[in-house]
Amino acid sequence: MSRCIEKDYLLISKAVREWYRHYEVEWDDKASSFLCDAAIDLYDDGCRSLEEMATVLIGTYVGLAATRVNAPSSSSVH
């Protein structure tokens, strides 16, 4: 579990807000939860820069649809 402190939560929050600004989408609770979890993982991996964290979120999760995770029971047919 992450050992974030208040200033680190602010970093995570700002990175998620940058994602919203970049994609110009309205606030979405599910997307925010997903993005915060992803940002915490980045933090746990050593990311401490707002610019780096926001860039990785923006590049990895392209648009609102990318924040939607299939149910664990979903399967794909290729």
Side-chain angles (χ1 to χ4, degrees):
M1 183 59 131
S2 174
R3 293 191 181 262
C4 297
I5 57 175
E6 189 172 330
K7 70 179 180 80
D8 299 321
Y9 285 118
L10 184 59
L11 166 75
I12 290 165
S13 175
K14 286 181 178 181
V16 171
R17 283 185 295 185
E18 287 298 318
W19 182 92
Y20 275 98
R21 281 191 200 116
H22 180 82
Y23 288 109
E24 299 178 342
V25 295
E26 295 291 322
W27 179 264
D28 181 271
D29 287 337
K30 288 182 181 180
S32 296
S33 178
F34 179 88
L35 291 166
C36 283
D37 287 346
I40 290 169
D41 287 343
L42 290 170
Y43 179 92
D44 287 344
D45 288 341
C47 181
R48 300 294 189 274
S49 159
L50 170 59
E51 293 78 18
E52 181 184 6
M53 188 176 288
T55 298
V56 172
L57 290 176
I58 290 166
T60 304
Y61 307 104
V62 180
L64 192 58
T67 66
R68 303 298 190 228
V69 180
N70 289 337
S73 61
S74 296
S75 61
S76 300
V77 177
H78 295 280

